[in-house]
Amino acid sequence: MTGVPSREQRAWLVPMADGEVIGEEIAYAKVTLGLRVVGTRNDGFHDIEALTVFAMTPHDRVTVSVAANTDSTVSVHGTGAVGVPEDDRNLALRAWVALSELAPLPPVHIDIEKRIPAGAGLGGGSADAAAVIRIAS
């Protein structure tokens, strides 16, 4: 690997208009059927074994569009939106920002139609972040 190019060296390869949709993904809820802690790591977290399945419903719809400004943003609406942050605490936004440090990605607006209830243990935030990563790829 030759290293990560600087921000100045990177450019979005295909110019897109403000508001143009880059991609849309469904983010499925997850249900953990079994979980076993198998060890403790040096960082205080635990190694686990888990049996997890994905549910077709509820699910979120994640749409990523080219931003009209220089900063990426997120908006969340829908039946599961209560308590979901619309700032830099949002995992989907954090995923895009982290990827944009490594690849030539434009600033975007992430729209999340939230149906997975926040705080229900169904993995909605991480599912939304994974959807953003799939769109970026």
Side-chain angles (χ1 to χ4, degrees):
M1 182 174 185
T2 60
V4 177
S6 70
R7 187 172 288 278
E8 292 76 30
Q9 293 171 317
R10 292 182 272 145
W12 185 243
L13 301 177
V14 179
M16 299 179 81
D18 292 345
E20 186 173 346
V21 173
I22 295 171
E24 186 175 273
E25 286 279 336
I26 299 296
Y28 295 102
K30 70 165 180 62
V31 178
T32 302
L33 301 176
L35 176 77
R36 185 172 79 162
V37 177
V38 295
T40 302
R41 302 182 335 201
N42 291 337
D43 60 7
F45 288 94
H46 296 89
D47 290 322
I48 63 168
E49 292 178 348
L51 175 59
T52 303
V53 296
F54 293 93
M56 297 304 286
T57 185
H59 64 268
D60 297 345
R61 181 175 304 277
V62 179
T63 305
V64 176
S65 304
V66 176
N69 56 34
T70 59
D71 294 323
S72 291
T73 58
V74 63
S75 61
V76 184
H77 56 92
T79 57
V82 175
V84 178
E86 293 184 292
D87 58 21
D88 61 1
R89 295 172 296 156
N90 185 285
L91 295 179
L93 180 60
R94 290 172 66 179
W96 189 272
V97 170
L99 288 173
S100 70
E101 294 297 320
L102 301 173
L105 299 175
V108 296
H109 176 72
I110 301 167
D111 180 76
I112 302 172
E113 181 183 343
K114 194 84 178 134
R115 295 182 187 152
I116 302 171
L122 298 175
S126 55
D128 295 341
V132 164
I133 292 169
R134 289 193 304 272
I135 291 168
S137 66

